Amino acid sequence: MSRQDGSGRQVTTGPVDDSGTPILHVDMDAFFASVELLRRPELRGQPVIVGGGGQRGVVSAASYEARRYGVYSAMSMALALRKCPNAVIVPVDMPRYAAISKQVMAIFEEVTPFVEKLSIDEAFLDVGGARRLHGSPAEIAWTIRTRVREELGLPCSVGLAATKFVAKVASGRAKPDGLLVVPADRTLEFLHPLPVSALWGVGRVTEESLGRLGLRTVADVAQTPLDALERAVGPAVGRKLHALANGVDPRDVSTHHVEKSIGHEQTFRHDLTDPEEIRRVLLRQAEDVAVRLRRAGLLGRTVVLKLRYTDFRTVTRSRTLGEPTDVAKRIYDEVCLALDGLDLDGDRVRLVGVRAEQLRPSGAAASLWDPDEDWRQAERTVDRLTERFGRGAVRPAALVRRGEHDRVEPQRGQVDPFLG
């Protein structure tokens, strides 16, 4: 979700040279909030926050009216309400958002087969081969925005450029509900005045490292010797930032999606302090992750534990396995070992998460010795029973005895990065 609040909006309003800009980045504007306004139009013009769980919840999306108060996604609901006490809170409805997202992506795919879906609400399109049927890139972008608005009632912003990076920056500058074309020969003119935070991959830590060198703008980074950048932020990051700052981004729009991680996390209405209670949560989450791995035909080599404390400190601990797995017992055992390495000492925990990373296809180069084979067969039997009788038909005894823990909102999906 974008953090733009509409200030500093920049759009294309007249004729422009789009001959060298085949890459589109389409980003739905405040997607969850915009979808909610379709069924509650009386809220238009009001600050709307999509989220759950009252004061202990997390903001999933905010309308532009709410963003102007400083409310953004991933912010705690308590802080959001302090910033914007007159906000209207609407609960999350992921099935509805997913269904509408499919309709949005279907419109894109009618224009070009080269669609790279980045998330539920944004995608790259390569329209270089669609000119004969649909017109110039700018005409195609205009058509897409019009269709999404007329057919679905939703606003979106589009950036057009010669590269993916510049197209994504342009769509952000065009928000909300705008279109910005960056002609290929004006790429550096567009990029160089921007702050270093506009560069892909520059977060707070990297921005501070660049700031210590006196680098405040993209132009500063572009003009800095490569070896100095590499010393400041590391060779790989330094090379990437130097290339992007000079308008170089050779990546094509890719229609092949590869999962990077599969995970599950929960924020609780009441803090957890009992390690055994945390272990029961981890057991359930390990089961969920394992099921999703098996359904996707994937194995995970690294298991990650995430805890967030009541003061919002967040810790992650990872363990890399000798052999990748899709077995809940193995995942659970590893996250428990990671938990044992933390000194909780009465700390109050508000969020718990489990994730599998370093994924690979389950049929790839299997080991001659599989330490999880017996458990895998048992869990696949449970999968079949679940398909027949429904979720929860067969559960570990620990969960059956003690029941499911009260939760606010499961943050999950095909790839659902942990929020830091």
Side-chain angles (χ1 to χ4, degrees):
M1 302 297 173
S2 173
R3 283 199 172 196
Q4 289 89 353
D5 62 4
S7 59
R9 184 171 178 266
Q10 183 180 354
V11 296
T12 297
T13 57
V16 66
D17 179 11
D18 64 350
S19 58
T21 61
I23 308 301
L24 277 62
H25 180 257
V26 187
D27 198 354
M28 305 302 295
D29 295 325
F31 182 52
F32 293 1
S34 295
V35 171
E36 294 299 336
L37 292 176
L38 291 178
R39 53 184 169 189
R40 297 189 62 182
E42 73 277 8
L43 296 180
R44 293 189 184 279
Q46 299 185 46
V48 174
I49 298 175
V50 179
Q55 293 281 324
R56 296 305 304 273
V58 176
V59 174
S60 294
S63 70
Y64 281 87
E65 290 80 6
R67 293 183 189 193
R68 293 184 186 114
Y69 286 86
V71 177
Y72 302 116
S73 60
M75 178 180 289
S76 74
M77 191 65 73
L79 177 57
L81 290 174
R82 286 199 297 272
K83 288 177 173 287
C84 186
N86 59 328
V88 179
I89 311 300
V90 179
V92 176
D93 187 351
M94 283 305 301
R96 180 173 172 81
Y97 309 149
I100 292 180
S101 173
K102 288 182 180 179
Q103 297 178 60
V104 171
M105 299 299 169
I107 291 175
F108 299 166
E109 290 166 349
E110 289 180 23
V111 173
T112 174
F114 300 105
V115 177
E116 180 179 340
K117 302 171 186 176
L118 297 182
S119 66
I120 195 171
D121 63 348
E122 62 176 320
F124 284 115
L125 288 70
D126 185 336
V127 299
R131 300 170 191 254
R132 182 175 299 178
L133 287 177
H134 301 291
S136 72
E139 290 171 333
I140 291 172
W142 186 267
T143 298
I144 286 173
R145 291 180 62 240
T146 301
R147 286 193 59 187
V148 171
R149 170 73 75 177
E150 293 181 350
E151 296 176 25
L152 302 177
L154 297 171
C156 65
S157 297
V158 185
L160 288 79
T163 67
K164 291 168 71 173
F165 166 60
V166 179
K168 184 172 175 64
V169 174
S171 70
R173 301 287 293 181
K175 284 182 169 293
D177 197 18
L179 167 64
L180 179 59
V181 181
V182 180
D185 61 359
R186 299 181 64 181
T187 296
L188 297 185
E189 179 184 339
F190 169 73
L191 283 179
H192 280 186
L194 300 177
V196 293
S197 57
L199 290 171
W200 218 334
V202 173
R204 179 181 56 82
V205 174
T206 303
E207 185 175 4
E208 290 174 354
S209 298
L210 296 173
R212 285 193 287 272
L213 292 179
L215 308 182
R216 310 296 179 188
T217 68
V218 174
D220 293 337
V221 176
Q223 295 160 11
T224 298
L226 178 57
D227 59 348
L229 281 178
E230 291 179 341
R231 287 194 300 271
V233 296
V237 175
R239 286 193 298 270
K240 183 185 73 170
L241 295 184
H242 193 264
L244 293 177
N246 284 283
V248 177
D249 181 7
R251 297 170 303 160
D252 295 324
V253 171
S254 173
T255 59
H256 179 61
H257 178 68
V258 178
E259 301 287 13
K260 295 182 179 179
S261 62
I262 286 179
H264 184 79
E265 62 183 49
Q266 295 170 230
T267 301
F268 298 92
R269 289 196 179 96
H270 304 288
D271 295 331
L272 306 185
T273 57
D274 180 358
E276 289 308 310
E277 195 171 13
I278 295 174
R279 288 175 186 274
R280 284 193 293 275
V281 174
L282 293 175
L283 177 56
R284 181 175 59 250
Q285 292 181 338
E287 279 197 309
D288 288 339
V289 171
V291 167
R292 290 166 59 200
L293 284 169
R294 292 193 292 271
R295 287 176 178 170
L298 297 170
L299 301 171
R301 179 81 186 277
T302 297
V303 174
V304 181
L305 165 71
K306 176 183 178 181
L307 297 180
R308 178 172 293 151
Y309 300 108
T310 192
D311 60 2
F312 279 84
R313 286 182 299 118
T314 302
V315 297
T316 59
R317 295 292 185 269
S318 62
R319 293 182 59 85
T320 298
L321 313 181
E323 295 292 337
T325 191
D326 59 3
V327 173
K329 183 180 184 301
R330 173 70 61 185
I331 295 170
Y332 173 68
D333 288 345
E334 296 297 330
V335 294
C336 283
L337 288 171
L339 181 67
D340 291 342
L342 296 174
D343 182 12
L344 295 179
D345 192 27
D347 284 334
R348 304 177 69 84
V349 175
R350 76 187 307 269
L351 178 147
V352 177
V354 174
R355 174 168 300 279
E357 297 179 344
Q358 294 194 62
L359 306 186
R360 76 174 201 185
S362 57
S367 170
L368 292 176
W369 177 69
D370 183 354
D372 296 328
E373 184 58 31
D374 290 343
W375 279 102
R376 180 176 290 107
Q377 293 301 325
E379 292 184 13
R380 285 177 176 168
T381 299
V382 172
D383 290 345
R384 291 191 291 270
L385 292 171
T386 298
E387 289 176 5
R388 182 174 181 182
F389 298 109
R391 184 184 174 101
V394 181
R395 299 290 279 175
L399 297 183
V400 174
R401 287 197 306 268
R402 302 297 296 266
E404 299 269 322
H405 195 281
D406 190 23
R407 68 185 182 185
V408 172
E409 176 192 340
Q411 299 158 345
R412 58 186 300 181
Q414 285 296 92
V415 179
D416 50 347
F418 288 155
L419 299 174

